[in-house]
Amino acid sequence: MAETFPAAGMEMTHILVVGDIDASRSFYRDVLGAEVVREYGGTSVVLRFAESWLLLVTGGAPTDDKPDVTMAPPADANTVAHAMTIRVPDCRAAYETLSARGARFLTPPRDRGMEVRCFFRDPDGHLFEISEAVGQS
């Protein structure tokens, strides 16, 4: 019997619950450079970014296939349960580019020895890291 999970051709999509779909679409498209692939009824935006899929959705009540789950943007941007790291070839250059496009970083890039990294948030407070591996071949 062939293996069914994981299987060839599988891809992962990160779902981010947002409060304002228009502000989030603009941020991911205009600041990060993500490609808008499709939109659904003003409540969902599918994006392609860095060989990954992002699905931005507005919050909502439980449904019959997730009866105990309420979808909501982060309640507190300073408490993180999920974050994404974007590995970049030059953290300082990426920081400058993203800052010029409107990203608001928590700090400038910090040299941590084996990596240079810094963090920013999207309009709803989802945390992103840009990270450059240094001193590794």
mmCIF file of all heavy atoms in Angstrom, residues 65-102:
data_model
loop_
_atom_site.group_PDB
_atom_site.id
_atom_site.type_symbol
_atom_site.label_atom_id
_atom_site.label_comp_id
_atom_site.label_asym_id
_atom_site.label_seq_id
_atom_site.Cartn_x
_atom_site.Cartn_y
_atom_site.Cartn_z
ATOM 1 N N ASP A 65 -17.600 21.600 11.165
ATOM 2 C CA ASP A 65 -16.384 20.794 11.065
ATOM 3 C C ASP A 65 -15.315 21.191 12.082
ATOM 4 O O ASP A 65 -14.292 20.526 12.206
ATOM 5 C CB ASP A 65 -15.826 20.822 9.636
ATOM 6 C CG ASP A 65 -15.535 22.224 9.140
ATOM 7 O OD1 ASP A 65 -16.009 23.206 9.752
ATOM 8 O OD2 ASP A 65 -14.845 22.351 8.118
ATOM 9 N N LYS A 66 -15.530 22.249 12.811
ATOM 10 C CA LYS A 66 -14.677 22.657 13.935
ATOM 11 C C LYS A 66 -15.591 23.253 15.012
ATOM 12 O O LYS A 66 -15.578 24.448 15.284
ATOM 13 C CB LYS A 66 -13.552 23.593 13.507
ATOM 14 C CG LYS A 66 -13.935 24.775 12.672
ATOM 15 C CD LYS A 66 -12.709 25.623 12.356
ATOM 16 C CE LYS A 66 -13.062 26.844 11.563
ATOM 17 N NZ LYS A 66 -14.184 27.652 12.021
ATOM 18 N N PRO A 67 -16.401 22.391 15.645
ATOM 19 C CA PRO A 67 -17.485 22.850 16.511
ATOM 20 C C PRO A 67 -17.070 23.592 17.780
ATOM 21 O O PRO A 67 -17.882 24.312 18.339
ATOM 22 C CB PRO A 67 -18.226 21.555 16.863
ATOM 23 C CG PRO A 67 -17.252 20.466 16.638
ATOM 24 C CD PRO A 67 -16.343 20.934 15.540
ATOM 25 N N ASP A 68 -15.832 23.461 18.217
ATOM 26 C CA ASP A 68 -15.398 24.133 19.443
ATOM 27 C C ASP A 68 -14.351 25.208 19.174
ATOM 28 O O ASP A 68 -13.684 25.662 20.105
ATOM 29 C CB ASP A 68 -14.814 23.107 20.426
ATOM 30 C CG ASP A 68 -15.838 22.077 20.857
ATOM 31 O OD1 ASP A 68 -17.019 22.438 20.985
ATOM 32 O OD2 ASP A 68 -15.455 20.912 21.062
ATOM 33 N N VAL A 69 -14.209 25.628 17.924
ATOM 34 C CA VAL A 69 -13.123 26.541 17.553
ATOM 35 C C VAL A 69 -13.688 27.872 17.072
ATOM 36 O O VAL A 69 -14.482 27.918 16.133
ATOM 37 C CB VAL A 69 -12.249 25.930 16.439
ATOM 38 C CG1 VAL A 69 -11.164 26.908 16.008
ATOM 39 C CG2 VAL A 69 -11.637 24.615 16.910
ATOM 40 N N THR A 70 -13.276 28.953 17.726
ATOM 41 C CA THR A 70 -13.588 30.304 17.280
ATOM 42 C C THR A 70 -12.323 30.878 16.664
ATOM 43 O O THR A 70 -11.255 30.807 17.273
ATOM 44 C CB THR A 70 -14.053 31.178 18.467
ATOM 45 O OG1 THR A 70 -15.237 30.610 19.009
ATOM 46 C CG2 THR A 70 -14.304 32.616 18.025
ATOM 47 N N MET A 71 -12.435 31.409 15.473
ATOM 48 C CA MET A 71 -11.286 32.013 14.786
ATOM 49 C C MET A 71 -11.247 33.499 15.134
ATOM 50 O O MET A 71 -12.247 34.204 14.953
ATOM 51 C CB MET A 71 -11.418 31.830 13.278
ATOM 52 C CG MET A 71 -11.554 30.381 12.819
ATOM 53 S SD MET A 71 -10.030 29.456 12.907
ATOM 54 C CE MET A 71 -9.278 29.927 11.361
ATOM 55 N N ALA A 72 -10.089 33.977 15.637
ATOM 56 C CA ALA A 72 -9.951 35.378 16.031
ATOM 57 C C ALA A 72 -8.506 35.813 15.864
ATOM 58 O O ALA A 72 -7.589 35.009 16.038
ATOM 59 C CB ALA A 72 -10.391 35.553 17.483
ATOM 60 N N PRO A 73 -8.291 37.093 15.539
ATOM 61 C CA PRO A 73 -6.918 37.605 15.480
ATOM 62 C C PRO A 73 -6.295 37.551 16.876
ATOM 63 O O PRO A 73 -7.012 37.409 17.870
ATOM 64 C CB PRO A 73 -7.074 39.055 15.026
ATOM 65 C CG PRO A 73 -8.497 39.259 14.689
ATOM 66 C CD PRO A 73 -9.284 38.109 15.229
ATOM 67 N N PRO A 74 -4.976 37.677 16.959
ATOM 68 C CA PRO A 74 -4.327 37.650 18.274
ATOM 69 C C PRO A 74 -4.951 38.691 19.210
ATOM 70 O O PRO A 74 -5.157 39.839 18.822
ATOM 71 C CB PRO A 74 -2.877 38.001 17.973
ATOM 72 C CG PRO A 74 -2.684 37.673 16.532
ATOM 73 C CD PRO A 74 -4.014 37.900 15.877
ATOM 74 N N ALA A 75 -5.253 38.281 20.425
ATOM 75 C CA ALA A 75 -5.831 39.192 21.414
ATOM 76 C C ALA A 75 -4.762 40.095 22.012
ATOM 77 O O ALA A 75 -5.047 41.205 22.432
ATOM 78 C CB ALA A 75 -6.535 38.396 22.509
ATOM 79 N N ASP A 76 -3.533 39.604 22.057
ATOM 80 C CA ASP A 76 -2.427 40.335 22.676
ATOM 81 C C ASP A 76 -1.182 40.105 21.837
ATOM 82 O O ASP A 76 -0.640 38.999 21.820
ATOM 83 C CB ASP A 76 -2.223 39.832 24.100
ATOM 84 C CG ASP A 76 -1.007 40.426 24.786
ATOM 85 O OD1 ASP A 76 -0.414 41.395 24.255
ATOM 86 O OD2 ASP A 76 -0.636 39.911 25.852
ATOM 87 N N ALA A 77 -0.727 41.131 21.142
ATOM 88 C CA ALA A 77 0.437 40.996 20.253
ATOM 89 C C ALA A 77 1.715 40.646 21.001
ATOM 90 O O ALA A 77 2.674 40.168 20.402
ATOM 91 C CB ALA A 77 0.642 42.289 19.455
ATOM 92 N N ASN A 78 1.738 40.848 22.315
ATOM 93 C CA ASN A 78 2.939 40.555 23.094
ATOM 94 C C ASN A 78 2.982 39.132 23.635
ATOM 95 O O ASN A 78 3.962 38.744 24.270
ATOM 96 C CB ASN A 78 3.086 41.561 24.230
ATOM 97 C CG ASN A 78 3.389 42.941 23.698
ATOM 98 O OD1 ASN A 78 4.116 43.092 22.723
ATOM 99 N ND2 ASN A 78 2.804 43.951 24.293
ATOM 100 N N THR A 79 1.927 38.363 23.401
ATOM 101 C CA THR A 79 1.901 36.952 23.759
ATOM 102 C C THR A 79 1.805 36.165 22.461
ATOM 103 O O THR A 79 0.811 36.268 21.755
ATOM 104 C CB THR A 79 0.702 36.623 24.677
ATOM 105 O OG1 THR A 79 0.804 37.427 25.854
ATOM 106 C CG2 THR A 79 0.686 35.156 25.060
ATOM 107 N N VAL A 80 2.839 35.403 22.148
ATOM 108 C CA VAL A 80 2.924 34.760 20.840
ATOM 109 C C VAL A 80 2.765 33.251 20.976
ATOM 110 O O VAL A 80 3.446 32.610 21.769
ATOM 111 C CB VAL A 80 4.286 35.080 20.168
ATOM 112 C CG1 VAL A 80 4.427 34.352 18.851
ATOM 113 C CG2 VAL A 80 4.424 36.585 19.970
ATOM 114 N N ALA A 81 1.866 32.705 20.175
ATOM 115 C CA ALA A 81 1.687 31.257 20.103
ATOM 116 C C ALA A 81 2.152 30.711 18.761
ATOM 117 O O ALA A 81 2.317 29.514 18.599
ATOM 118 C CB ALA A 81 0.219 30.891 20.328
ATOM 119 N N HIS A 82 2.368 31.595 17.803
ATOM 120 C CA HIS A 82 2.787 31.187 16.458
ATOM 121 C C HIS A 82 3.558 32.337 15.844
ATOM 122 O O HIS A 82 3.143 33.490 15.944
ATOM 123 C CB HIS A 82 1.552 30.870 15.609
ATOM 124 C CG HIS A 82 1.875 30.518 14.202
ATOM 125 N ND1 HIS A 82 1.911 31.458 13.194
ATOM 126 C CD2 HIS A 82 2.177 29.343 13.621
ATOM 127 C CE1 HIS A 82 2.224 30.864 12.051
ATOM 128 N NE2 HIS A 82 2.394 29.580 12.292
ATOM 129 N N ALA A 83 4.683 32.038 15.250
ATOM 130 C CA ALA A 83 5.473 33.051 14.553
ATOM 131 C C ALA A 83 6.079 32.406 13.323
ATOM 132 O O ALA A 83 6.189 31.179 13.243
ATOM 133 C CB ALA A 83 6.569 33.604 15.462
ATOM 134 N N MET A 84 6.466 33.224 12.371
ATOM 135 C CA MET A 84 7.097 32.710 11.153
ATOM 136 C C MET A 84 8.440 33.386 10.956
ATOM 137 O O MET A 84 8.583 34.583 11.211
ATOM 138 C CB MET A 84 6.194 32.945 9.941
ATOM 139 C CG MET A 84 4.994 32.028 9.947
ATOM 140 S SD MET A 84 4.037 32.126 8.443
ATOM 141 C CE MET A 84 2.826 33.322 8.944
ATOM 142 N N THR A 85 9.405 32.597 10.515
ATOM 143 C CA THR A 85 10.743 33.102 10.220
ATOM 144 C C THR A 85 10.965 33.072 8.717
ATOM 145 O O THR A 85 10.674 32.080 8.057
ATOM 146 C CB THR A 85 11.817 32.232 10.911
ATOM 147 O OG1 THR A 85 11.630 32.313 12.320
ATOM 148 C CG2 THR A 85 13.216 32.701 10.552
ATOM 149 N N ILE A 86 11.491 34.170 8.214
ATOM 150 C CA ILE A 86 11.861 34.265 6.797
ATOM 151 C C ILE A 86 13.384 34.304 6.759
ATOM 152 O O ILE A 86 14.001 35.255 7.244
ATOM 153 C CB ILE A 86 11.275 35.530 6.148
ATOM 154 C CG1 ILE A 86 9.753 35.578 6.336
ATOM 155 C CG2 ILE A 86 11.666 35.600 4.669
ATOM 156 C CD1 ILE A 86 9.141 36.928 6.043
ATOM 157 N N ARG A 87 14.006 33.255 6.231
ATOM 158 C CA ARG A 87 15.467 33.219 6.119
ATOM 159 C C ARG A 87 15.857 34.085 4.940
ATOM 160 O O ARG A 87 15.349 33.900 3.843
ATOM 161 C CB ARG A 87 15.947 31.785 5.930
ATOM 162 C CG ARG A 87 17.441 31.636 5.890
ATOM 163 C CD ARG A 87 18.104 31.951 7.207
ATOM 164 N NE ARG A 87 18.013 30.825 8.112
ATOM 165 C CZ ARG A 87 18.512 30.820 9.336
ATOM 166 N NH1 ARG A 87 19.158 31.866 9.798
ATOM 167 N NH2 ARG A 87 18.389 29.772 10.093
ATOM 168 N N VAL A 88 16.728 35.050 5.168
ATOM 169 C CA VAL A 88 17.155 36.000 4.148
ATOM 170 C C VAL A 88 18.671 35.960 3.996
ATOM 171 O O VAL A 88 19.377 35.624 4.942
ATOM 172 C CB VAL A 88 16.682 37.441 4.485
ATOM 173 C CG1 VAL A 88 15.163 37.531 4.504
ATOM 174 C CG2 VAL A 88 17.258 37.915 5.814
ATOM 175 N N PRO A 89 19.187 36.317 2.815
ATOM 176 C CA PRO A 89 20.637 36.321 2.634
ATOM 177 C C PRO A 89 21.328 37.482 3.339
ATOM 178 O O PRO A 89 22.497 37.390 3.694
ATOM 179 C CB PRO A 89 20.825 36.401 1.121
ATOM 180 C CG PRO A 89 19.546 36.939 0.583
ATOM 181 C CD PRO A 89 18.472 36.536 1.561
ATOM 182 N N ASP A 90 20.610 38.602 3.560
ATOM 183 C CA ASP A 90 21.198 39.784 4.190
ATOM 184 C C ASP A 90 20.119 40.435 5.053
ATOM 185 O O ASP A 90 19.252 41.149 4.548
ATOM 186 C CB ASP A 90 21.711 40.744 3.119
ATOM 187 C CG ASP A 90 22.425 41.961 3.676
ATOM 188 O OD1 ASP A 90 22.122 42.369 4.822
ATOM 189 O OD2 ASP A 90 23.274 42.517 2.964
ATOM 190 N N CYS A 91 20.186 40.203 6.341
ATOM 191 C CA CYS A 91 19.156 40.687 7.256
ATOM 192 C C CYS A 91 19.081 42.210 7.279
ATOM 193 O O CYS A 91 18.000 42.788 7.270
ATOM 194 C CB CYS A 91 19.416 40.151 8.662
ATOM 195 S SG CYS A 91 18.108 40.538 9.841
ATOM 196 N N ARG A 92 20.228 42.858 7.299
ATOM 197 C CA ARG A 92 20.225 44.321 7.374
ATOM 198 C C ARG A 92 19.620 44.938 6.119
ATOM 199 O O ARG A 92 18.865 45.915 6.197
ATOM 200 C CB ARG A 92 21.633 44.828 7.634
ATOM 201 C CG ARG A 92 22.106 44.511 9.056
ATOM 202 C CD ARG A 92 23.571 44.885 9.297
ATOM 203 N NE ARG A 92 24.001 44.533 10.628
ATOM 204 C CZ ARG A 92 24.510 43.352 10.970
ATOM 205 N NH1 ARG A 92 24.663 42.398 10.057
ATOM 206 N NH2 ARG A 92 24.888 43.112 12.217
ATOM 207 N N ALA A 93 19.927 44.379 4.957
ATOM 208 C CA ALA A 93 19.350 44.888 3.707
ATOM 209 C C ALA A 93 17.842 44.640 3.672
ATOM 210 O O ALA A 93 17.065 45.514 3.261
ATOM 211 C CB ALA A 93 20.026 44.234 2.503
ATOM 212 N N ALA A 94 17.405 43.460 4.107
ATOM 213 C CA ALA A 94 15.969 43.156 4.153
ATOM 214 C C ALA A 94 15.261 44.091 5.133
ATOM 215 O O ALA A 94 14.167 44.582 4.848
ATOM 216 C CB ALA A 94 15.752 41.702 4.542
ATOM 217 N N TYR A 95 15.893 44.355 6.253
ATOM 218 C CA TYR A 95 15.351 45.288 7.246
ATOM 219 C C TYR A 95 15.139 46.668 6.622
ATOM 220 O O TYR A 95 14.078 47.283 6.791
ATOM 221 C CB TYR A 95 16.311 45.364 8.432
ATOM 222 C CG TYR A 95 16.036 46.479 9.416
ATOM 223 C CD1 TYR A 95 15.079 46.324 10.411
ATOM 224 C CD2 TYR A 95 16.747 47.668 9.358
ATOM 225 C CE1 TYR A 95 14.835 47.341 11.331
ATOM 226 C CE2 TYR A 95 16.516 48.686 10.262
ATOM 227 C CZ TYR A 95 15.555 48.523 11.241
ATOM 228 O OH TYR A 95 15.314 49.531 12.134
ATOM 229 N N GLU A 96 16.140 47.163 5.909
ATOM 230 C CA GLU A 96 16.030 48.479 5.275
ATOM 231 C C GLU A 96 14.897 48.499 4.253
ATOM 232 O O GLU A 96 14.110 49.446 4.203
ATOM 233 C CB GLU A 96 17.358 48.876 4.618
ATOM 234 C CG GLU A 96 18.491 49.115 5.601
ATOM 235 C CD GLU A 96 18.225 50.257 6.571
ATOM 236 O OE1 GLU A 96 17.523 51.231 6.218
ATOM 237 O OE2 GLU A 96 18.715 50.169 7.721
ATOM 238 N N THR A 97 14.821 47.459 3.418
ATOM 239 C CA THR A 97 13.780 47.391 2.381
ATOM 240 C C THR A 97 12.395 47.348 3.012
ATOM 241 O O THR A 97 11.501 48.105 2.634
ATOM 242 C CB THR A 97 13.987 46.155 1.487
ATOM 243 O OG1 THR A 97 15.241 46.285 0.811
ATOM 244 C CG2 THR A 97 12.874 46.014 0.465
ATOM 245 N N LEU A 98 12.204 46.447 3.970
ATOM 246 C CA LEU A 98 10.892 46.305 4.597
ATOM 247 C C LEU A 98 10.508 47.541 5.407
ATOM 248 O O LEU A 98 9.347 47.957 5.407
ATOM 249 C CB LEU A 98 10.851 45.055 5.464
ATOM 250 C CG LEU A 98 10.944 43.728 4.708
ATOM 251 C CD1 LEU A 98 11.086 42.568 5.675
ATOM 252 C CD2 LEU A 98 9.745 43.541 3.798
ATOM 253 N N SER A 99 11.474 48.154 6.065
ATOM 254 C CA SER A 99 11.203 49.395 6.799
ATOM 255 C C SER A 99 10.730 50.487 5.852
ATOM 256 O O SER A 99 9.773 51.208 6.154
ATOM 257 C CB SER A 99 12.451 49.866 7.552
ATOM 258 O OG SER A 99 12.784 48.970 8.581
ATOM 259 N N ALA A 100 11.389 50.598 4.708
ATOM 260 C CA ALA A 100 11.002 51.610 3.722
ATOM 261 C C ALA A 100 9.596 51.357 3.179
ATOM 262 O O ALA A 100 8.902 52.295 2.780
ATOM 263 C CB ALA A 100 12.014 51.640 2.572
ATOM 264 N N ARG A 101 9.169 50.108 3.179
ATOM 265 C CA ARG A 101 7.825 49.763 2.701
ATOM 266 C C ARG A 101 6.768 49.880 3.783
ATOM 267 O O ARG A 101 5.592 49.649 3.527
ATOM 268 C CB ARG A 101 7.818 48.335 2.162
ATOM 269 C CG ARG A 101 8.608 48.148 0.900
ATOM 270 C CD ARG A 101 8.523 46.703 0.466
ATOM 271 N NE ARG A 101 9.348 46.416 -0.674
ATOM 272 C CZ ARG A 101 9.600 45.183 -1.100
ATOM 273 N NH1 ARG A 101 9.084 44.139 -0.476
ATOM 274 N NH2 ARG A 101 10.372 44.999 -2.154
ATOM 275 N N GLY A 102 7.180 50.177 5.010
ATOM 276 C CA GLY A 102 6.213 50.392 6.069
ATOM 277 C C GLY A 102 6.197 49.370 7.183
ATOM 278 O O GLY A 102 5.393 49.486 8.119
#
